Structure formats: C-alpha cells, structure tokens
Amino acid sequence: MFALAFLYPSAPGHVFDVEHWRNVHLPLGLGLTDKHLGVRPRRIMLLGPTWGGDLQRDGAQLGGIAIVMFDERKDVERFATLFEFQEAAERLGADFQNYTAGAPNILVADIHDVREIDEMIDRFKRQEAQAGQ
C-alpha cells in the first residue's frame, strides 16, 4: 500500500478541529478528488488532535496528520496532483483556516503494516535469554 500524508501544523493555543475536518473538509476533498482525478482512497486515518512528547497540546509539532491510503502507487501519485486543479486548490485552501493552524506539508510513502507484535516480543525474549540477561 501507499500513502499520502497531510502534516497539519500546530500553533500555540490552537486545537485541530476534528469535527470540521471530518464533516466538511474531508467530504469536500473526496468529492473534488473524484471529480478531477477519478481515484478513491482505500482508507483514511486521522491522527489528531495531537499532543507533544510532554503530553501537552502546545508541545506538539503537528496539530494533526491525515493519512490517505491507496493500493496502487499510480493512484497515490495521481492524488498528489489534486492541487494542480484550480478549483481544488482554491476551495480546499480556503477551508484550512476553519480547522487547522495553516496549510499542511505533504509526505508520500510506502506503507509497511507491522502486525507480528507477539512474534517480535518472543524474538526479543529469546535473544535476552541467550545473552543471559
């Protein structure tokens, strides 16, 4: 799988508005993606609002992260061109101020879904036992 992540900035005192993102911005973005590109993601995940490592909201470098997942690399690459369409750039760009502290940065990546948690812990325990720890 492949993903395009929107890395939404944080700002002191600003909390990422998940409800607006989910109920207004996401349907707008999906509709414009379908209209202009004809691609649909397999899944979307939102991490947010976020806290920093100090467990304080103002300690987070990002206000939220939206991860849009596709089965095919060609689809994520196509999706990355959405803002080349004037309508999408204008409508989505104008909405940022309604839920986030600023325009997001974009990151495209392969997805590696690690599910072998128990096996990895068992491997660690075996290594520890062999090392006598």
Side-chain angles (χ1 to χ4, degrees), residues 28-41:
L28 175 64
L30 288 170
L32 290 168
T33 299
D34 184 61
K35 177 180 179 179
H36 292 291
L37 303 174
V39 296
R40 292 184 180 192

Side-chain angles (χ1 to χ4, degrees), residues 1 5 7 9-10 12 30 53 58 63 65 68 70 77 80 92 116 121 132:
M1 286 188 76
L7 309 173
S10 64
L30 288 170
D58 285 345
I65 302 171
V68 185
F70 296 87
E77 289 174 353
L92 292 166
E116 306 84 13
I121 292 171

Side-chain angles (χ1 to χ4, degrees), residues 28-68:
L28 175 64
L30 288 170
L32 290 168
T33 299
D34 184 61
K35 177 180 179 179
H36 292 291
L37 303 174
V39 296
R40 292 184 180 192
R42 170 181 252 212
R43 185 174 178 189
I44 299 172
M45 293 177 58
L46 175 70
L47 309 176
T50 60
W51 296 268
D54 60 0
L55 302 181
Q56 302 299 310
R57 287 208 188 274
D58 285 345
Q61 294 181 357
L62 299 169
I65 302 171
I67 304 167
V68 185

Side-chain angles (χ1 to χ4, degrees), residues 66-108:
I67 304 167
V68 185
M69 294 173 254
F70 296 87
D71 289 325
E72 303 287 331
R73 182 180 186 98
K74 66 178 177 55
D75 291 336
V76 77
E77 289 174 353
R78 182 92 172 119
F79 180 62
T81 69
L82 181 61
F83 274 70
E84 294 175 13
F85 294 87
Q86 184 176 353
E87 178 189 19
E90 289 176 359
R91 293 179 70 185
L92 292 166
D95 192 46
F96 291 145
Q97 66 183 346
N98 297 316
Y99 69 96
T100 185
N105 288 313
I106 306 297
L107 178 71
V108 178

